[in-house]
Amino acid sequence: MLRPKIPTMPTPTGLVTPPAVVEPTTVVQHHPAPAPAPAASTRPAVQLTPGAVLALVGAGTAVVLVVGAVLVSMLLAVAVTGASVAVCAVVLRSLIAADAKRC
């Protein structure tokens, strides 16, 4: 009842033509002309002056300080949130305990 139906390969109907005969062709090799030598680059090489090196070091230091400040502030936010949740838990626990003692 729930068996899959497997398709069968249909038999060819009508005229069946034999496969065409492919004749080999000759291969002619052409020798390509030698490639021209690459032209020298006209761009000047990067030269760092002492002022540029100092600017790069300053910019890198600024990026490290900014990223560090952001990460520390995120860590501080998580710590403050955890501490406030802990204080709320202690207050609720004391309220529940005091309410249970009254009864």
Side-chain angles (χ1 to χ4, degrees), residues 8-103:
T8 58
M9 194 70 174
T11 57
T13 58
L15 297 174
V16 178
T17 58
V21 178
V22 179
E23 296 181 10
T25 58
T26 59
V27 178
V28 179
Q29 292 183 353
H30 296 285
H31 296 290
S41 177
T42 58
R43 295 185 303 171
V46 177
Q47 295 178 352
L48 294 176
T49 61
V53 171
L54 189 62
L56 284 175
V57 169
T61 304
V63 167
V64 167
L65 288 176
V66 168
V67 170
V70 168
L71 291 177
V72 167
S73 64
M74 289 171 61
L75 181 65
L76 184 62
V78 170
V80 167
T81 303
S84 64
V85 168
V87 168
C88 289
V90 168
V91 169
L92 284 175
R93 183 178 168 191
S94 67
L95 288 175
I96 292 173
D99 190 33
K101 286 183 183 179
R102 281 188 216 160
C103 293

